[in-house]
Amino acid sequence: MERQLARSRWYRIIPVVFITYSLAYLDRANFGFAAAGGMAEDLGITPGMSSLLGSLFFLGYFFFQIPGAHYAAHKSAKRLIFWSLILWGAFATATGMVSNAGWLVVIRFMLGVVESAVMPAMLILLSQWFTKAERSRANTFLILGNPATVLWMSVLSGYLIDALGWRWMFIIQGAPAILWAFVWWRMVDERPKEASWLSVPEKSALEATLEEEQREIKPVKNYAQAFRSRAVILLCLQYLLWSLGLYGFVMWLPSIINAAPNMDIVTTGWLAAVPYLLAIIAMLGASYLSDKTLNRKIFIWPFLLLGALALYGSYLVGSSNFWLSFILLVLAGGAMYAPYGPFFAVITEILPKNVAGGALGLINSMGALGSFVGAYIVGYLNGATGGFGASYLLMAFALLSSAILTIIVVKSPRQRKTSPVLPLSAP
């Protein structure tokens, strides 16, 4: 069936989606480099305040997930993302113009608000274009914008801060989102029936396949029923813990590396890019095999467990051997990113489209809450203890707990066949 569906979808939609999410991720991840590159000294930001500022983005992100996801699912994901691009580009550029920490608090929070609906809106859009057997790969190409952006951003940010300062880094990296909004509007169609670049038979075949998949999903009446389901509750907790570990890592990796003896900001940028190169390879491999086997579970929890073990190893090594600790951090980074495609495919496969958007928003909002907690507590622990050991333990515990929850809630193909009840039974 996959061979009969239009291959042009991959060439038309995926590159635009990838670049759009890359721009979104750029504006949230470069804060860690600014913090390590002189912003704190210029604005008089204390270590505790720096932790709050690094995490405020995720607080804004947390509050507006569900309304945005509902609008994307029932109105227009395309329109929502268009206006989000313009607004987050403006806020990101404004970050380079602030004169005090007070304005930075407002901008970081608002940046999270305007970006909050992008992830669930993108996932909803892809679910309207790609089938069950393709969805893990489609999701992965979207989320590859995350590690791929940090990969080149880490290197570029180091050079920009070294040459022009942290203010110009924000301005140069924020403005392209505003221009890209118009490319997005021109290139992306909401649904197959609106695409002039597909033939009528191609539209019909794709829509028929997607409708057939919806009929195979157990009906869910409304959001209240979906949000009370055991699967959604546990997936919320699982993603919260996973995001706590991941974003504690992402936000403070530059500071961890920069604290090494004889380290400069340019070298920090190059070294901080390495985990994301491994992440890209791991994500592509996991999503391909996940779609081929339709076994999402086995491509989620083992990677989370591996990430937990690598972070615990970094704790054991401590500051006695920087390069061994760095290798373990590279392994942890790649392992934490690998399961994204299979994970988000799970949600759209157990919930019908009338509630999938809201559930994606709820689960992603819990991830944002975990990101807020992770970014804040890791920064706080680093400042309070004067080292990174406590942070490694926290992130390792969060990932281990997330792996255990994955084993409990996500069913393998064999379990789905033998169980008479879908994983949506109320607790």
Side-chain angles (χ1 to χ4, degrees), residues 7 11 37 59 67 84 91 104 140 147 153 201 250 265 290 299 353 364 395 398 421 423:
R7 300 295 300 171
Y11 314 129
L59 193 60
S84 295
F91 281 122
L104 196 56
T140 293
M153 182 274 295
V250 170
I265 193 66
S290 171
F299 295 102
K353 62 182 179 181
N364 210 40
M395 291 186 285
V421 180

Side-chain angles (χ1 to χ4, degrees), residues 376-397:
Y376 180 76
I377 294 182
V378 167
Y380 174 80
L381 289 174
N382 292 346
T385 64
F388 307 109
S391 300
Y392 293 150
L393 279 179
L394 172 68
M395 291 186 285
F397 176 76

Side-chain angles (χ1 to χ4, degrees), residues 32-33 35-37 41 251-269 271-272 318-323 325-326 329 378-379 381-383 385-389 391-392:
F33 277 90
E41 292 82 356
M251 291 299 295
W252 298 108
L253 180 64
S255 295
I256 291 171
I257 295 173
N258 201 51
N262 304 316
M263 189 66 64
D264 58 73
I265 193 66
V266 173
T267 306
T268 296
L271 291 178
S319 58
S320 62
N321 189 328
F322 169 77
W323 289 109
S325 179
F326 176 71
L329 289 174
V378 167
L381 289 174
N382 292 346
T385 64
F388 307 109
S391 300
Y392 293 150

Side-chain angles (χ1 to χ4, degrees), residues 31 33-47 50 53 104 166:
F31 181 86
F33 277 90
M39 181 176 66
E41 292 82 356
D42 291 348
L43 299 180
I45 299 171
T46 64
S50 182
L53 287 167
L104 196 56
W166 63 269

Side-chain angles (χ1 to χ4, degrees), residues 269-293:
W270 279 100
L271 291 178
V274 178
Y276 303 102
L277 179 61
L278 177 60
I280 292 170
I281 297 169
M283 288 176 73
L284 290 171
S287 65
Y288 175 82
L289 293 172
S290 171
D291 274 348
K292 288 300 179 184
T293 63

